Amino acid sequence: MTFLEALLQHSPALVIATPLLSAFLLPLVGRINAKVRDVFALVMLGVTCCFVGLLASDVLSHGPRVYIFGAQNLNVPLVRILFEVDSMGIFMAIITVMLAVIAVIYSWSFLRREDGLDKYYTLLLLVVTSALGMELTGDIFNFFVFLEISCIASCALIAFWVAEGEALEAAFKYIVISSVGALFILFAIGIFYAQYNALNIATLAHLLQFTFLDKFALVILLVSLGMKAGLAPMHMWLPDTYGRAPPSIVLIIMSATLASFYGILRVVFTFYGNVLTTSLRFSLPAHVVIGWILIALAIVSILIGVIMALVQTDLLRLIGYVAVAEIGYMFLAIGASVASLGAPYATVALHGGILHIFNDAVDIGLLFLVAGAIYYVTKKRSLDDISGLARTMKFTTIFFMIGLLAVAGMPPLNGFTSKFLIYESVYQLNPILSIIALLGSILLLAIFVKVLYAAFLGSELPALKGVTEAPKSMLLAMGFLAGFAIFIGLFPNLLLDTLVKPAASALLDHAQYISMVVGGL
Amino acid sequence: MDNRTVAGILVFSIVAVFFLFSVFLIHPFGEPGPVQMDDYIITHTQNETGTNNGVTAVVFDYRGFDTLGEATILFSAVAGVLLIFRKVRH
Amino acid sequence: MFSLESGSGFWNPLLWILVLVITFLLFYGIRGFGKSTYKKGTEQTKVFLSGNKETTPEEMHIKASNLYWGFTTSMKSLYSVLRKMHSGNTSDYILWFVLVLAVLFLILGVL
Amino acid sequence: MIEYIPFIAVVAMILIGLYAVMFRRNLIKIVIGISIIESGVNLFLIILGYRDGGVAPIFTSLPPGTKYPEEMVLPVPQALTLTSIVIGVAVLALMLSLVMHIYRKYGTLDVQKIRRLKE
Amino acid sequence: MTKIVKTTANILFPFTMIFGLYVIAHGHLTPGGGFQGGAIVVSGCALLLVAYGSSWVFDRIKDKRLAAFESLGAIGFITIAFLGLVFSAVFFGNFLAGSETIFGTTPATGSTLSDFNTGGVLPLMNFAVGVKVIAGLFVIVLVMAYASSIKELS
């Protein structure tokens, strides 16, 4: 066995262990020198990226990979924790590490004058670890543990600007919401354990009967994870949090939020994959009911998100509401895909939904970084106080326009590619849904035209005379995301064929996920 | 009573009814249903992990990765508390 | 290879850009017709506001909260409901969570 | 009925905690409510693993004649509860330190007054 | 606090310490382990905080040093997991169990007397977690107690 093969064999563990070890080491490294600490955080994330890339290349070509902690082989009752990495998990892991690297690069300049940065980088690495763990794990209690890590570490990061009361308020709201949600998830795990005496996702999915208790647990899991993902009407924490956390942190919290969204995908498609086609009362198949529940909540999210964003004056909070609407688009695609399971357009909807996860991360992330750059140079949050920034901040303006058009789903940027797939497939399920989705996009364009006019165009305010362009590392981070937005907009098939289609087939093929573990016994 | 209280009590009682109804479907106290995983652990603790304590064997060996996560949670809580109180110095 | 198939339609960004470039060229050509009569620094380029005096740029700028005034005013009833819903109270957030929980329990409990 | 009393206690604890989070106005009481929910869930996990007349799954000085595994309680729920308790401690520490700061900034612990972030 | 409290704390503190360390050390034999023993030790330290006041303790023990100790405990824990990767070719492998070296005795099946030299890596992990929990919980209690005793935060 060569070194590379050994590395590949252990890479699922190393993907988690590397950022975790570096988070533990960082307080000690931070005592040496601030510069060393910054470089250390970036280098360790780079190493994690390498492991994720190695794992991705293997998983995409050879199918899912199972890693058992503490034993060489699977043995009869699955007592040990195991990681099961399939194309969907690795797709999310790629998004997570991408956002993390960009956030670290951005933080270099953005938080240069702050103190408490070694704690900041420690917690950042912990959130990244937890998101990766949620995405790769094959054990439901382990999922809960990682969910709690992300909850606690992100809560502390939201309160980073302790001098502002609002940041503390947002952090308190976040931790109340997420700990209540997480406790309900633990209750659902207890129900599974009581019925089947197993904690492994594949084993549970194999044994699941869809009894009343299973339905009960499904509702708890859907609602709790939906709240963590920012689904309306449980989305209120999201604008509060996104609006008050440092914008570099928002990228990291967003990766945790998307990991919760991934949790819903896993629950619906893999966990309940065997029983989705069971008939309930009135000969309604279960997947239709679940799908339409998700669609209804998604429509509410889109409408509330855009309508509330239209009247916001705080730029960061406005983008927070837009993020709610974008989450709604993902849920719309997933709901349509579940509701029409088996139809040819269900796969298209799923492709659209999964591609939209990536596009949402890129576009909303770009907008937050731009808003953070504006806050960095002007120290003002309200759109009423800023004007005419395009004269001094040329690059930022260009990046903002790219983000604006991408979020609003204007061709040829990346937002359009996924929304195109969503509109086309949802139209075949029900044309009204498609119309609402389009209306949401139009309102999104209106919102950002308002921001463009208020912040960047117009005359220069006397209070903003000394404004200069944002520092280089911030521009670099924004440039990366803008480059992604353009590139994926021009060559959508590149991403669709290499990552999204395998991810969608991995989700739909729950039998393979189960047989990787259960069949190996 | 305002609208919020009425709505709150209503949804609260619905959730309460469903919770109460559900727990009666779980196996009775003291008679767990399937136990294959736990029986395996009890019978194999001593020769697989070499420890007499079944709970410690689960915590640190069979589900050791969870314990790593748990230690991480404590670590992040400490980092978070120190971050929030970072201005508190002598 | 570059076109995105959705089963019922397709989308090709390169084709779209080609069309966009051709359109821009067309408009550039049309613009050329009027360009010859345009002269800088004459009466042509002065701002004319029905005889009123031109205001300073600071006064011309409309603040963000005043934009879309018509839309928000016509949707006043909707916005009052939504503002009441986003109360900012932590307990209300949990209340919404329990509400959705109750509704979904009812749906899946009945079915 | 009698064998379901522990489960009823679990539901009662979860509901009392939820009630405190939903209807109490003091931040400290909300924190206590979350703590009660957590205790309820921990109790739920523990009672899932009980076997009638079982002893702890520890072999050191085990009473002679004990048949195992039939007379030992299940070890996995205990391990899960242990993890859950530590998580609860961490969440509690963070929440209380946030409450301390909020009180200094807002001058109140009333949750209806701590809402600068709204709409 | 009064002299009675201080004297009681002085007498109780060493016993609490010893009991906590006993619970940590015998985690693989008797009920308890790193977390529980660490919590007992920290309760002894909290007794000091109550008796002598937080600024007295804050003068003697630096929170930065405690946080560094906590990092060391966490690094120790993950290092043992990595050693499993090296010696038994799997992350979290129990490479010491059954190796007949340190902590490597396999106990007889069924009821046995306590043999300290068993458990493989479990006692080591208990120790690492114990260090981590002592330092971590103590720094939380210390910082929160000190912050609540002063007038102005930040």
Side-chain angles (χ1 to χ4, degrees):
Chain A
M1 192 158 61
T2 63
F3 181 67
L4 195 68
E5 276 173 1
L7 214 57
L8 184 63
Q9 194 200 339
H10 294 296
S11 54
L14 291 172
V15 164
I16 302 298
T18 315
L20 200 54
L21 181 63
S22 37
F24 292 157
L25 282 171
L26 220 125
L28 304 178
V29 175
R31 290 182 150 208
I32 304 170
N33 186 340
K35 198 122 215 164
V36 175
R37 174 198 66 206
D38 294 359
V39 173
F40 178 77
L42 189 64
V43 167
M44 288 318 251
L45 273 176
V47 174
T48 314
C49 273
C50 294
F51 284 130
V52 169
L54 194 66
L55 198 55
S57 66
D58 178 66
V59 166
L60 291 174
S61 52
H62 296 107
R65 181 169 268 278
V66 175
Y67 189 85
I68 309 144
F69 286 94
Q72 299 279 7
N73 305 307
L74 293 162
N75 50 3
V76 178
L78 274 170
V79 290
R80 292 184 186 272
I81 293 174
L82 52 84
F83 269 21
E84 188 163 1
V85 188
D86 65 356
S87 322
M88 185 64 214
I90 209 71
F91 175 72
M92 296 300 297
I94 288 170
I95 294 177
T96 306
V97 289
M98 180 193 84
L99 287 178
V101 167
I102 287 167
V104 168
I105 293 174
Y106 189 81
S107 312
W108 277 358
S109 311
F110 185 70
L111 295 170
R112 204 177 40 215
R113 297 176 214 137
E114 308 274 345
D115 59 344
L117 280 181
D118 45 350
K119 301 279 180 307
Y120 169 89
Y121 282 113
T122 308
L123 290 167
L124 191 150
L125 284 168
L126 288 176
V127 184
V128 173
T129 313
S130 66
L132 286 172
M134 281 161 78
E135 286 148 9
L136 303 185
T137 189
D139 189 284
I140 187 155
F141 189 76
N142 202 237
F143 182 85
F144 163 77
V145 170
F146 280 117
L147 188 75
E148 282 281 4
I149 298 176
S150 86
C151 150
I152 290 175
S154 353
C155 164
L157 283 173
I158 292 161
F160 183 73
W161 284 330
V162 272
E164 296 172 13
E166 288 89 348
L168 297 165
E169 186 190 330
F172 185 76
K173 284 173 177 170
Y174 180 75
I175 196 163
V176 167
I177 295 290
S178 23
S179 52
V180 170
L183 287 172
F184 274 86
I185 291 175
L186 185 57
F187 190 83
I189 293 171
I191 288 175
F192 288 132
Y193 178 80
Q195 289 188 88
Y196 306 112
N197 200 276
L199 291 167
N200 185 271
I201 290 178
T203 315
L204 282 172
H206 180 63
L207 294 170
L208 209 74
Q209 304 288 328
F210 215 49
T211 57
F212 183 82
L213 281 176
D214 290 334
K215 281 188 214 166
F216 184 73
L218 172 66
V219 170
I220 293 180
L221 285 175
L222 274 188
V223 178
S224 308
L225 287 173
M227 178 160 77
K228 285 279 303 188
L231 187 61
M234 304 163 288
H235 65 282
M236 283 94 152
W237 64 271
L238 201 141
D240 294 355
T241 310
Y242 282 21
R244 284 294 160 172
S248 52
I249 282 310
V250 174
L251 289 197
I252 302 293
I253 301 171
M254 202 158 70
S255 68
T257 312
L258 291 177
S260 301
F261 176 73
Y262 161 82
I264 287 192
L265 286 180
R266 198 45 101 197
V267 165
V268 172
F269 283 100
T270 305
F271 221 91
Y272 285 82
N274 268 342
V275 294
L276 270 184
T277 45
T278 0
S279 276
L280 302 173
R281 220 163 285 172
F282 312 124
S283 68
L284 271 173
H287 68 89
V288 174
V289 177
I290 298 169
W292 278 99
I293 288 172
L294 289 178
I295 289 174
L297 292 174
I299 292 294
V300 176
S301 300
I302 294 175
L303 291 179
I304 287 186
V306 292
I307 291 174
M308 286 306 288
L310 203 64
V311 291
Q312 298 301 316
T313 48
D314 184 333
L315 179 55
L316 285 158
R317 197 172 164 78
L318 185 149
I319 304 170
Y321 275 108
V322 172
V324 174
E326 293 286 299
I327 293 277
Y329 279 101
M330 289 183 228
F331 272 102
L332 180 63
I334 300 309
S337 166
V338 175
S340 61
L341 206 65
Y345 57 88
T347 322
V348 179
L350 194 56
H351 289 168
I354 294 172
L355 184 58
H356 203 69
I357 300 176
F358 191 90
N359 290 344
D360 168 71
V362 168
D363 302 345
I364 299 286
L366 177 59
L367 285 175
F368 268 110
L369 294 190
V370 169
I374 293 173
Y375 179 71
Y376 180 81
V377 294
T378 62
K379 292 277 171 269
K380 291 200 169 49
R381 287 178 176 278
S382 173
L383 282 173
D384 288 343
D385 301 339
I386 50 176
S387 162
L389 290 177
R391 288 158 219 274
T392 41
M393 304 173 74
K394 289 192 182 58
F395 289 108
T396 312
T397 314
I398 293 168
F399 292 143
F400 178 78
M401 286 180 70
I402 291 171
L404 176 168
L405 295 173
V407 167
M410 292 291 280
L413 290 164
N414 66 345
F416 179 76
T417 55
S418 52
K419 281 187 178 172
F420 167 74
L421 293 175
I422 295 174
Y423 300 148
E424 288 266 330
S425 53
V426 167
Y427 184 82
Q428 296 178 45
L429 182 68
N430 193 335
I432 296 171
L433 299 177
S434 184
I435 291 167
I436 294 174
L438 265 171
L439 183 75
S441 278
I442 294 165
L443 281 173
L444 279 178
L445 189 63
I447 290 159
F448 284 111
V449 167
K450 163 185 156 176
V451 177
L452 182 69
Y453 175 79
F456 292 102
L457 307 181
S459 56
E460 218 167 4
L461 290 182
L464 300 175
K465 277 281 180 267
V467 164
T468 51
E469 181 60 277
K472 281 202 184 63
S473 89
M474 286 159 76
L475 287 180
L476 182 69
M478 288 187 264
F480 268 130
L481 285 179
F484 272 125
I486 295 173
F487 183 74
I488 294 162
L490 290 183
F491 308 105
N493 276 23
L494 228 53
L495 189 69
L496 200 72
D497 289 339
T498 49
L499 287 173
V500 174
K501 280 182 180 164
S505 60
L507 274 182
L508 290 172
D509 190 7
H510 55 87
Q512 192 198 17
Y513 187 92
I514 294 169
S515 67
M516 276 302 288
V517 173
V518 180
L521 295 176
Chain B
M1 292 224 288
D2 54 342
N3 286 341
R4 179 184 180 274
T5 322
V6 174
I9 289 171
L10 190 70
V11 296
F12 186 75
S13 39
I14 293 173
V15 170
V17 166
F18 271 88
F19 264 82
L20 266 180
F21 183 68
S22 307
V23 290
F24 277 96
L25 299 172
I26 302 174
H27 60 70
F29 177 62
E31 299 154 24
V35 287
Q36 70 280 15
M37 181 164 82
D38 293 87
D39 280 357
Y40 177 87
I41 289 172
I42 292 174
T43 44
H44 290 78
T45 295
Q46 285 184 312
N47 51 26
E48 274 189 5
T49 67
T51 175
N52 275 341
N53 188 338
V55 180
T56 306
V58 178
V59 168
F60 286 107
D61 193 302
Y62 291 114
R63 301 189 70 81
F65 196 65
D66 272 351
T67 310
L68 182 62
E70 180 188 354
T72 313
I73 285 174
L74 200 59
F75 182 80
S76 54
V78 170
V81 170
L82 288 180
L83 182 77
I84 292 171
F85 287 111
R86 68 180 182 273
K87 300 271 168 58
V88 178
R89 286 282 172 270
H90 267 290
Chain C
M1 178 205 166
F2 293 112
S3 70
L4 194 62
E5 303 280 346
S6 76
S8 56
F10 77 98
W11 158 249
N12 193 332
L14 299 182
L15 208 67
W16 192 85
I17 285 181
L18 199 69
V19 172
L20 204 69
V21 167
I22 290 170
T23 323
F24 267 121
L25 286 177
L26 210 65
F27 279 120
Y28 192 74
I30 293 170
R31 182 174 171 269
F33 292 126
K35 183 90 176 166
S36 53
T37 57
Y38 177 81
K39 292 196 176 56
K40 254 188 183 166
T42 57
E43 280 286 296
Q44 269 184 332
T45 58
K46 274 235 172 93
V47 178
F48 180 71
L49 286 170
S50 313
N52 294 325
K53 243 179 139 185
E54 193 186 344
T55 50
T56 57
E58 280 75 21
E59 289 168 346
M60 293 271 285
H61 186 67
I62 303 169
K63 290 203 163 166
S65 45
N66 299 330
L67 286 169
Y68 298 131
W69 172 84
F71 183 81
T72 47
T73 314
S74 62
M75 297 278 218
K76 210 166 201 164
S77 52
L78 175 67
Y79 272 112
S80 68
V81 172
L82 282 179
R83 273 179 212 276
K84 211 174 163 193
M85 181 178 158
H86 292 83
S87 62
N89 184 343
T90 315
S91 303
D92 282 357
Y93 294 7
I94 298 291
L95 193 65
W96 281 108
F97 168 70
V98 177
L99 187 133
V100 177
L101 206 59
V103 170
L104 293 203
F105 275 154
L106 282 180
I107 291 175
L108 276 181
V110 167
L111 289 175
Chain D
M1 184 66 196
I2 188 84
E3 62 268 26
Y4 281 102
I5 282 182
F7 290 101
I8 295 171
V10 166
V11 173
M13 281 176 87
I14 291 176
L15 292 179
I16 289 169
L18 209 54
Y19 173 82
V21 178
M22 277 162 65
F23 295 113
R24 293 275 115 189
R25 292 176 63 165
N26 192 316
L27 284 192
I28 301 279
K29 284 181 181 162
I30 288 178
V31 173
I32 292 173
I34 291 174
S35 247
I36 295 174
I37 299 179
E38 191 218 321
S39 311
V41 176
N42 287 347
L43 183 63
F44 179 60
L45 288 178
I46 277 292
I47 63 182
L48 289 179
Y50 184 68
R51 253 196 284 229
D52 271 337
V55 297
I58 294 171
F59 290 94
T60 311
S61 315
L62 192 71
T66 314
K67 281 194 294 247
Y68 66 93
E70 298 87 19
E71 290 183 5
M72 276 187 176
V73 299
L74 315 185
V76 172
Q78 306 203 13
L80 303 190
T81 313
L82 197 56
T83 309
S84 171
I85 287 172
V86 177
I87 291 170
V89 169
V91 171
L92 197 63
L94 208 53
M95 277 198 290
L96 286 178
S97 44
L98 282 174
V99 169
M100 276 171 72
H101 268 279
I102 288 175
Y103 183 69
R104 305 269 168 125
K105 294 283 176 214
Y106 285 71
T108 174
L109 283 177
D110 188 345
V111 75
Q112 306 218 345
K113 293 192 180 118
I114 303 173
R115 35 186 225 167
R116 286 187 205 161
L117 297 172
K118 58 177 179 179
E119 288 167 11
Chain E
M1 280 285 169
T2 59
K3 199 152 216 167
I4 301 171
V5 178
K6 282 185 183 169
T7 316
T8 319
N10 284 347
I11 296 169
L12 282 180
F13 181 69
F15 287 106
T16 330
M17 284 284 159
I18 288 173
F19 180 56
L21 294 176
Y22 167 82
V23 169
I24 294 176
H26 290 75
H28 58 298
L29 296 169
T30 54
F35 286 101
Q36 295 90 327
I40 293 169
V41 170
V42 174
S43 70
C45 299
L47 195 65
L48 282 190
L49 275 175
V50 172
Y52 288 91
S54 49
S55 46
W56 186 86
V57 183
F58 210 77
D59 285 337
R60 279 156 185 78
I61 299 172
K62 289 279 160 288
D63 56 338
K64 274 200 170 164
R65 190 157 300 168
L66 279 176
F69 258 103
E70 208 222 346
S71 280
L72 282 180
I75 292 166
F77 190 58
I78 202 169
T79 308
I80 295 167
F82 266 114
L83 286 179
L85 188 66
V86 175
F87 289 110
S88 70
V90 66
F91 200 63
F92 265 102
N94 194 341
F95 57 95
L96 285 177
S99 65
E100 301 301 327
T101 55
I102 180 169
F103 296 124
T105 316
T106 308
T109 321
S111 173
T112 57
L113 294 175
S114 54
D115 178 0
F116 191 72
N117 201 20
T118 55
V121 294
L122 269 62
L124 300 176
M125 283 184 174
N126 259 326
F127 180 70
V129 169
V131 169
K132 197 186 133 46
V133 172
I134 292 170
L137 283 185
F138 188 35
V139 76
I140 288 178
V141 173
L142 181 63
V143 168
M144 282 178 74
Y146 183 70
S148 59
S149 71
I150 57 174
K151 283 265 167 1
E152 218 20 71
L153 293 179
S154 68

